[in-house]
Amino acid sequence: MAIINLGTGDIAKYPFLKEASDYIRETQFNLEEFDRPEMKYIIDRAAEKIETEVANGTIYEKLDKYEIEILTFLVTIIIVKSINIESILRKHSLFEAMRVEKFLTEDLRKEKNEQKKRLLLFKIFGELFKVHVDIDPTDNRLFKVRVTDYLMRASHFHEQEWKLINRLVHDGYVYLDADETVRLIRSELSTLIHDRVKLMTLSTLPRAIEVKVDELKAKLVPIYEYEHRMYKTTDYAPCIKHALELMNRGENLPHSARIMLATYMLAIGKSIDEIIILFHNAPDYNEKVTRYQVEHLAGIRGSHTKYSVPSCEKLRSENLCFATEKCEGIRNPVQFGRNYKKENYDHSR
Amino acid sequence: MLLRNAFREYYFRYSKTLETPEHIDQREFGYMQFGAGMIRHLSFRNIGELLAILIKEVPSDVYCSNAYYRFPTYTMQEKQWIGADLIFDIDAKDLHLPCESTHSYFVCTNCGEVQDSKFELCPSCDTGKLTQTLLPCNKCNYALKKEVKHLVDLLMNDLGIKEKSIHIYFSGNNGYHIHVLDDEFYRLDSHARSDIVGYIMGNDIMAESIGVRKASSPSVVDFSVKFPKSGMIYGWRQRIARKLGIDRSLSISKMDKIVQQKGGYSGFKSELHKMAKEMSVRIDPLVTMDVHRVFRMAGTLNSKSGLTKVLCKEIESFDPLTDACFLMDKEVNVNVKSPIKLKLKGQSFSLKKQTTKLPAYAAIYLICKRLAQAI
């Protein structure tokens, strides 16, 4: 049987693979080479990628030759490391993961050569994350994942569709389509990028990169110095506090937690603009989309139905409840505020 | 004294019944003392060490963690969790069987008198509250076994767990414990186990997962049908499809008709939830989700009955009131508090409310059930 290797096109899409680092090592590439004029294209491209992801909140979709992609990947992580702001790193990691997710989904959907498909599954799922994914022998559009591998990831997703009961389960395997299979490892991909940046040690930067870092810092730091945007989280129900804390750290909140947060803030009388600012630290923040969604929940758009705050029971089922003893007797997070205020008031008397 | 002596003799005579848990040195042990509290965070290097404590201290109940820890004797935060056996508890009280009322007794927490039916306050002393005690019957055991077999079927066919990894135990009272010792499942956290619980109990099934979606702009009907790409040939989807009669050929028009008959999307959804509940296994969810639980240890006595938690090699023929009854036959005097009929170790007893001589195993069974008093 012929041995199939990853093509250069694959390495371009997945520049975090071992094959990409092998390329850098084999070509004996030196960081100082980035000061050469022909490298300007790479550095500008890396900056464009960071801006697209971090400032615009969208996936960088352009795909070039593998030599370009590998070096762009390298410069990108050097710049993000040098900017040294956690929420920028998280946002970059998430969008890089989503970029990989997009390419990988397409590859798994379109690749006709089964051996090639298996190789990709092995390289990304197997080698990087120790997840064994197989192709369903009866339908090659479907993939089989061990129930335990599925549960270790999907049980932390909050959407009901990911609950095991809503999946096709048989003989120790969960059957998923390409999108779903790739979605399973989004957070691991994001952590992989995040850790690559975190663990990187930087010596002196080439001047050309240094200049780009300063330029980007000037643009992004005023938006992302989230320390100035920290929200007082003391008076809210523990579930809301928890969500705000995650948001303040720049972590990616699930959709259901965002609905909880927005409806809660609406219920306690915050303005639409105040609520939109709350979501500013979300790694995938997009003002237009956030505004539309908050207005939708407020009943200003769409069906004109004002959404109420999810009940404690619903939040429990979505793993969003972080009840303390002060939650005793309440059925909705909104009631917590009321009880808590009353209790404080009584104490103060 | 009677109970302590009988329990001590059991651990002395039946030391071989005590099962050595896998990786015993990584388990946390605990025990309940007669008339006193719980002692936890113990560790034993071998079963002999544990047996010595059992004979010396004579606990009323003995527990062993389903979890494996690096440091089992440390505090909960410092133990360093390695993994845990996947465990399930099927208890007669969760089955709400129709026969329950025919073998329920209500014992006063204050005067200890026994009533046939439930009252707000004890009619004998007017102060104590009544708590229920059950003497399970054959119907209970039959229903419990059916539930166990259903669970084992889901574990094997759906979750792919090998038969040899599934160990069924009689709990020592009114139920069965199922232990799964599996290298893949033991590393699952509480979230993942909670998802398994939902799967087994038929919780949160979505109409969308079997192809019925809520229409985005309702016209004549408020739903649309599009079967999932991954199909309906296995697991819950297959069970639901079979129940709806669409498992042989997936027909959109047939499904359409079914949903309309159920009153559209919402009607179908509530019908689906009902169906899933009917086809689910009734387990105690908290037991399975808990990855730090100390669980009754196999081979030890249950102080709620004086019966032993034992491995059921053949679930079909297992009779708890014979196969888990190991206490001695020596006759003792007890004061039976209510007229009772029961069968233990193959012997039938028809008892009146009076002082009587009974074999120790029967006397202790009734004392543990609070239906008799030692003299």
Side-chain angles (χ1 to χ4, degrees):
Chain A
M1 193 164 57
I3 296 172
I4 289 213
N5 288 320
L6 283 183
T8 50
D10 300 316
I11 300 171
K13 288 179 214 161
Y14 313 116
F16 47 84
L17 287 176
K18 196 181 143 289
E19 284 76 359
S21 0
D22 290 348
Y23 167 80
I24 302 231
R25 207 176 27 254
E26 280 160 22
T27 53
Q28 297 180 329
F29 188 83
N30 192 317
L31 270 193
E32 282 156 22
E33 291 178 51
F34 281 120
D35 273 332
R36 290 196 335 233
E38 65 267 30
M39 288 295 171
K40 189 176 178 303
Y41 174 67
I42 305 273
I43 297 171
D44 286 347
R45 202 166 174 271
E48 184 193 11
K49 190 181 195 186
I50 295 170
E51 268 195 81
T52 311
E53 294 170 345
V54 178
N56 306 346
T58 49
I59 301 173
Y60 185 71
E61 302 205 358
K62 291 182 193 168
L63 185 65
D64 214 315
K65 287 186 290 193
Y66 77 104
E67 300 94 327
I68 304 285
E69 285 301 339
I70 292 174
L71 293 177
T72 306
F73 181 73
L74 180 64
V75 178
T76 308
I77 62 175
I78 292 175
I79 295 178
V80 173
K81 173 86 184 178
S82 307
I83 293 175
N84 195 23
I85 289 179
E86 183 62 22
S87 49
I88 290 186
L89 168 57
R90 281 185 191 278
K91 194 152 184 175
H92 163 69
S93 310
L94 177 69
F95 278 96
E96 279 291 280
M98 285 160 78
R99 174 180 158 92
V100 174
E101 207 178 319
K102 178 182 166 288
F103 290 140
L104 189 54
T105 307
E106 274 169 16
D107 280 349
L108 293 181
R109 266 203 213 134
K110 292 178 186 162
E111 182 59 62
K112 294 274 185 291
N113 182 336
E114 205 159 285
Q115 258 186 293
K116 178 76 190 298
K117 222 184 303 200
R118 279 184 204 284
L119 180 68
L120 264 181
L121 291 171
F122 171 71
K123 281 281 168 195
I124 295 178
F125 289 88
E127 272 192 1
L128 291 176
F129 308 122
K130 310 279 170 273
V131 182
H132 178 72
V133 182
D134 213 342
I135 302 168
D136 179 13
T138 58
D139 180 352
N140 64 9
R141 293 170 310 161
L142 293 179
F143 300 89
K144 289 164 69 179
V145 182
R146 294 293 301 163
V147 165
T148 44
D149 283 331
Y150 175 86
L151 286 172
M152 279 195 278
R153 292 160 180 83
S155 65
H156 295 273
F157 299 172
H158 296 262
E159 292 80 11
Q160 212 176 341
E161 65 192 82
W162 287 98
K163 293 216 182 276
L164 191 61
I165 196 166
N166 292 314
R167 297 281 145 192
L168 191 74
V169 184
H170 178 61
D171 202 18
Y173 288 95
V174 180
Y175 291 74
L176 304 166
D177 63 23
D179 308 45
E180 293 160 344
T181 309
V182 179
R183 172 66 185 90
L184 268 192
I185 54 159
R186 178 190 290 173
S187 127
E188 278 149 302
L189 279 168
S190 175
T191 308
L192 177 92
I193 311 285
H194 181 272
D195 292 352
R196 285 275 167 98
V197 177
K198 275 275 176 201
L199 298 172
M200 179 182 237
T201 45
L202 283 182
S203 49
T204 322
L205 288 187
R207 183 72 195 127
I209 296 186
E210 216 176 331
V211 170
K212 202 46 94 183
V213 169
D214 290 341
E215 257 179 58
L216 277 173
K217 258 189 180 170
K219 273 190 201 165
L220 300 176
V221 170
I223 317 173
Y224 276 92
E225 273 291 24
Y226 68 84
E227 283 82 359
H228 302 301
R229 297 178 182 276
M230 296 277 269
Y231 299 98
K232 234 184 107 192
T233 59
T234 46
D235 300 326
Y236 303 127
C239 46
I240 305 295
K241 251 198 233 178
H242 182 261
L244 283 172
E245 278 162 15
L246 291 184
M247 198 64 102
N248 279 337
R249 289 207 296 266
E251 285 185 22
N252 197 22
L253 273 191
H255 184 64
S256 46
R258 293 174 193 217
I259 291 181
M260 169 190 79
L261 201 54
T263 50
Y264 182 89
M265 292 300 163
L266 286 167
I268 63 168
K270 294 259 184 211
S271 71
I272 304 273
D273 286 329
E274 278 178 295
I275 298 169
I276 290 169
I277 293 170
L278 276 182
F279 287 94
H280 207 282
N281 281 331
D284 55 353
Y285 175 75
N286 176 317
E287 194 192 328
K288 238 169 102 182
V289 175
T290 308
R291 179 173 294 280
Y292 179 85
Q293 286 171 340
V294 175
E295 286 179 354
H296 183 84
L297 292 172
I300 299 169
R301 284 180 188 261
S303 59
H304 293 277
T305 311
K306 190 176 172 189
Y307 283 71
S308 46
V309 186
S311 67
C312 295
E313 195 188 337
K314 170 103 174 136
L315 296 176
R316 263 194 299 277
S317 78
E318 290 172 329
N319 300 328
L320 295 175
C321 169
F322 295 86
T324 63
E325 52 190 31
K326 285 197 173 124
C327 294
E328 215 170 289
I330 66 165
R331 294 164 127 194
N332 191 295
V334 180
Q335 294 168 323
F336 178 91
R338 287 170 201 157
N339 282 354
Y340 193 45
K341 273 181 197 145
K342 185 168 177 290
E343 193 187 73
N344 281 347
Y345 173 70
D346 287 342
H347 281 312
S348 67
R349 294 204 327 169
Chain B
M1 204 58 188
L2 171 66
L3 250 64
R4 267 181 72 93
N5 287 343
F7 275 39
R8 174 175 281 130
E9 188 177 333
Y10 167 81
Y11 288 119
F12 196 72
R13 284 175 57 183
Y14 291 99
S15 57
K16 293 236 161 62
T17 322
L18 214 58
E19 244 185 62
T20 312
E22 269 196 26
H23 306 293
I24 184 168
D25 55 327
Q26 294 179 347
R27 308 272 193 167
E28 177 202 347
F29 289 83
Y31 61 81
M32 248 350 215
Q33 299 159 292
F34 276 107
M38 174 90 161
I39 296 178
R40 275 187 77 164
H41 311 296
L42 303 174
S43 169
F44 301 100
R45 277 171 301 181
N46 54 58
I47 205 78
E49 275 185 8
L50 170 66
L51 190 63
I53 288 283
L54 299 188
I55 292 172
K56 184 171 165 251
E57 300 293 332
V58 196
S60 64
D61 300 274
V62 186
Y63 305 98
C64 165
S65 66
N66 63 329
Y68 306 89
Y69 301 105
R70 204 146 279 136
F71 307 110
T73 57
Y74 287 18
T75 61
M76 231 49 220
Q77 292 74 26
E78 294 169 327
K79 283 188 195 301
Q80 292 194 20
W81 190 85
I82 300 170
D85 299 333
L86 181 64
I87 50 173
F88 299 93
D89 179 16
I90 295 178
D91 197 292
K93 74 172 181 334
D94 297 323
L95 304 190
H96 308 292
L97 297 166
C99 61
E100 192 182 287
S101 60
T102 64
H103 47 69
S104 284
Y105 298 86
F106 299 90
V107 187
C108 175
T109 51
N110 180 42
C111 65
E113 281 295 309
V114 177
Q115 312 295 335
D116 288 340
S117 43
K118 179 100 176 139
F119 297 96
E120 194 65 36
L121 283 177
C122 170
S124 305
C125 69
D126 257 352
T127 45
K129 284 195 170 164
L130 298 176
T131 55
Q132 190 184 29
T133 186
L134 287 169
L135 296 186
C137 65
N138 285 339
K139 285 179 196 150
C140 297
N141 194 35
Y142 177 80
L144 282 164
K145 285 180 180 180
K146 200 172 149 200
E147 214 69 8
V148 170
K149 284 185 274 182
H150 189 177
L151 173 66
V152 171
D153 183 59
L154 282 182
L155 295 178
M156 288 174 64
N157 293 329
D158 290 14
L159 304 188
I161 298 171
K162 304 240 169 2
E163 195 175 3
K164 64 171 192 231
S165 307
I166 303 172
H167 306 269
I168 304 166
Y169 294 89
F170 168 61
S171 73
N173 193 22
N174 293 343
Y176 288 87
H177 293 167
I178 291 87
H179 295 229
V180 174
L181 275 71
D182 181 282
D183 288 346
E184 273 189 67
F185 282 82
Y186 97 109
R187 59 197 171 128
L188 295 182
D189 66 8
S190 192
H191 273 290
R193 287 169 202 243
S194 152
D195 206 351
I196 293 180
V197 165
Y199 190 86
I200 303 283
M201 297 185 79
N203 297 338
D204 296 325
I205 192 162
M206 290 169 77
E208 286 77 2
S209 82
I210 54 157
V212 179
R213 298 155 184 219
K214 195 175 171 117
S216 47
S217 48
S219 49
V220 186
V221 289
D222 66 347
F223 67 92
S224 64
V225 176
K226 188 181 177 205
F227 292 116
K229 261 190 260 176
S230 45
M232 309 262 285
I233 54 169
Y234 301 127
W236 270 104
R237 291 187 192 171
Q238 184 196 41
R239 287 187 277 277
I240 298 289
R242 198 177 288 157
K243 185 98 179 168
L244 295 172
I246 54 164
D247 55 320
R248 280 164 191 267
S249 62
L250 282 184
S251 144
I252 290 187
S253 62
K254 205 165 173 188
M255 188 63 140
D256 231 75
K257 214 178 270 171
I258 293 169
V259 181
Q260 282 196 51
Q261 276 168 2
K262 306 288 179 200
Y265 180 81
S266 307
F268 178 76
K269 205 168 116 181
S270 55
E271 185 66 26
L272 177 66
H273 288 164
K274 228 174 6 188
M275 266 190 273
K277 275 283 153 222
E278 280 165 15
M279 289 189 277
S280 70
V281 184
R282 287 160 289 178
I283 54 171
D284 180 339
L286 298 178
V287 169
T288 305
M289 277 148 63
D290 192 347
V291 292
H292 298 286
R293 180 167 287 247
V294 281
F295 204 38
R296 190 172 298 285
M297 189 183 161
T300 65
L301 290 166
N302 188 324
S303 73
K304 288 180 197 151
S305 65
L307 302 176
T308 304
K309 173 169 173 175
V310 280
L311 183 69
C312 308
K313 286 182 186 128
E314 271 299 329
I315 181 78
E316 210 63 68
S317 59
F318 183 82
D319 174 11
L321 297 179
T322 304
D323 301 334
C325 189
F326 291 100
L327 295 181
M328 56 200 170
D329 296 342
K330 189 179 79 184
E331 290 209 319
V332 292
N333 279 317
V334 284
N335 180 15
V336 179
K337 297 197 278 185
S338 172
I340 288 161
K341 280 186 181 167
L342 83 148
K343 201 175 169 188
L344 269 175
K345 265 193 185 177
Q347 199 177 333
S348 299
F349 301 91
S350 185
L351 305 169
K352 289 185 185 141
K353 186 180 173 181
Q354 63 181 32
T355 302
T356 185
K357 251 187 180 17
L358 284 176
Y361 63 83
I364 287 168
Y365 183 73
L366 292 176
I367 293 169
C368 290
K369 294 279 178 191
R370 295 174 296 144
L371 298 175
Q373 248 175 340
I375 297 172

